Amino acid sequence: MDLEKTRQNTTGTILRFSVPAIVAMLLTSLITVADGFFVGNYVGAEGIAAASLLSAEVSFGGRKGDGNTKCVALHMAGIMLE
């Protein structure tokens, strides 16, 4: 990717990188709703509670990974982190 083209076309670059993230979030939400439906109907309240706790833990792990990815990208770009 040419850095100069990226700087000139900021709207296109933002859309190019944000659309996959938006689709991933929508699919994750759909999976959560489907899990809640099936667990709620076939397992009960205890299953919903367990799925909610697990979902929060997985979400926290994903956010930690996102932060690490940003740090690596900044390091590769030559920007020093304090």
Side-chain angles (χ1 to χ4, degrees):
M1 179 182 298
D2 186 22
L3 189 58
E4 203 53 43
K5 284 183 184 178
T6 302
R7 287 185 178 159
Q8 291 174 355
N9 187 11
T10 55
T11 304
T13 302
I14 290 171
L15 288 175
R16 192 167 126 198
F17 288 110
S18 64
V19 169
I22 292 169
V23 170
M25 286 188 276
L26 288 173
L27 289 175
T28 301
S29 298
L30 181 65
I31 290 170
T32 303
V33 169
D35 285 345
F37 175 78
F38 286 108
V39 171
N41 283 328
Y42 298 110
V43 177
E46 293 85 9
I48 289 284
S52 296
L53 288 173
L54 182 62
S55 176
E57 187 68 28
V58 169
S59 177
F60 177 73
R63 300 297 73 84
K64 184 178 176 187
D66 289 346
N68 290 337
T69 302
K70 289 174 182 69
C71 290
V72 169
L74 288 172
H75 178 71
M76 290 177 67
I79 300 171
M80 302 304 292
L81 299 174
E82 295 178 14

